[in-house]
Amino acid sequence: MSARDDEGHEIHQDVAADSGGIVFNQGSGVQNNQVTQHNYGPGAVAANDVESCFRYGKVKYDAREWSEAEFPLVSAAEAGHEESMRLLVMLYKLTQREAKAREWTRALANLGDPGACEDMGILIRRQAEFREYAGARKSDCREEFEEALDWFLKAAAAGNERSVKAVAQLLYTLGRYDEAIPYLEQAIEIGQRDGNSDYSLEANLKSARRQVERAVKRSQGRAGTQKRPWWRFSSSN
């Protein structure tokens, strides 16, 4: 055996190949070829290796090797790779680690991803609804409903049509009827276009319009009624 052969004899590496080239997951020994070895772990990846981390993580994800997929995907996601974040959300849901799934859903939502914004709205709305069902007063859950609304508004503004209905329903539930009306109208139009009409939206729209009309009349009535000074009620006047 030559010195060169002996030099690489003790190398042990776990190698995965895809259309982008060959990457190493882990290894030991002295490397004597021209391929760069990568040791994956959170925060350990260089900026120019982000795509390699993602590719390797996806290979392992597609093979349902969750533990092997997690570290390279986390490394890429921490470097801002959005597709890695999406895979991590799915990976953590599949492995029943909901807190981690929520963490990366929020990270994606903070980057403006419409689907992630919608998912955050759903998660927070469900949390508020569960608290309300468990006996909490609606006023105590209002802050959570408002937070869910903010996420749905971001999703709707980015073109997520499902979130339009969620915005309409939350604004109506929160008693913000004048703001709810245009979203209710839009949600009804979307439903009719898709052949999925929701008659509760039409009922809420009628109710919201009545509430706004009543509020306007009350406001006008207060503006038109001025209290006379007490002395004007005197019999001498």
Side-chain angles (χ1 to χ4, degrees):
M1 179 180 291
S2 68
R4 183 174 178 82
D5 290 335
D6 184 61
E7 185 180 23
H9 184 65
E10 295 301 323
I11 294 176
H12 302 285
Q13 293 168 323
D14 178 13
V15 180
D18 65 6
S19 59
I22 297 176
V23 292
F24 295 115
N25 177 34
Q26 296 179 27
S28 61
V30 180
Q31 183 174 310
N32 62 1
N33 57 31
Q34 299 302 311
V35 182
T36 301
Q37 180 174 358
H38 301 272
N39 183 19
Y40 294 115
V45 63
N48 61 351
D49 283 339
V50 169
E51 192 63 29
S52 293
C53 280
F54 165 67
R55 287 200 304 269
Y56 181 76
K58 189 173 186 309
V59 167
K60 292 299 184 180
Y61 177 90
D62 291 341
R64 302 180 67 85
E65 297 177 18
W66 311 129
S67 60
E68 295 287 340
E70 181 177 359
F71 288 121
L73 289 176
V74 168
S75 294
E78 287 181 344
H81 194 277
E82 292 187 26
E83 191 58 34
S84 294
M85 295 182 194
R86 294 187 184 94
L87 286 182
L88 278 175
V89 170
M90 294 304 300
L91 185 154
Y92 288 131
K93 285 181 178 180
L94 288 166
T95 55
Q96 299 182 342
R97 286 179 281 175
E98 294 299 327
K100 285 286 189 180
R102 181 168 177 159
E103 175 187 334
W104 286 107
T105 298
R106 183 179 288 275
L108 263 176
N110 285 332
L111 292 176
D113 181 89
C117 288
E118 180 191 21
D119 288 343
M120 283 301 301
I122 292 170
L123 286 168
I124 295 168
R125 183 183 61 190
R126 284 177 180 169
Q127 178 178 304
E129 289 171 343
F130 179 80
R131 287 187 60 213
E132 193 174 21
Y133 178 79
R137 293 177 300 180
K138 187 177 289 289
S139 58
D140 293 334
C141 303
R142 187 178 184 90
E143 185 175 337
E144 289 168 291
F145 281 121
E146 294 278 5
E147 184 182 355
L149 174 62
D150 288 342
W151 286 117
F152 282 127
L153 282 167
K154 290 177 182 178
N160 186 303
E161 291 188 340
R162 291 185 303 272
S163 293
V164 173
K165 180 177 178 179
V167 168
Q169 292 172 323
L170 274 173
L171 285 170
Y172 181 83
T173 299
L174 291 167
R176 294 163 59 174
Y177 301 115
D178 54 338
E179 297 174 75
I181 288 173
Y183 284 100
L184 286 164
E185 291 172 339
Q186 188 179 353
I188 290 168
E189 289 177 4
I190 292 170
Q192 291 173 340
R193 183 200 68 197
D194 296 341
N196 188 27
S197 297
D198 186 339
Y199 295 107
S200 68
L201 291 175
E202 296 178 14
N204 287 347
L205 177 59
K206 291 178 182 178
S207 175
R209 285 171 173 165
R210 285 196 300 268
Q211 293 290 345
V212 170
E213 288 172 3
R214 289 171 185 167
V216 169
K217 288 179 181 178
R218 286 195 297 269
S219 178
Q220 290 173 342
R222 286 194 295 269
T225 302
Q226 296 181 358
K227 291 185 178 180
R228 296 172 63 188
W230 66 269
W231 62 85
R232 291 194 177 181
F233 292 94
S234 170
S235 58
S236 63
N237 291 335

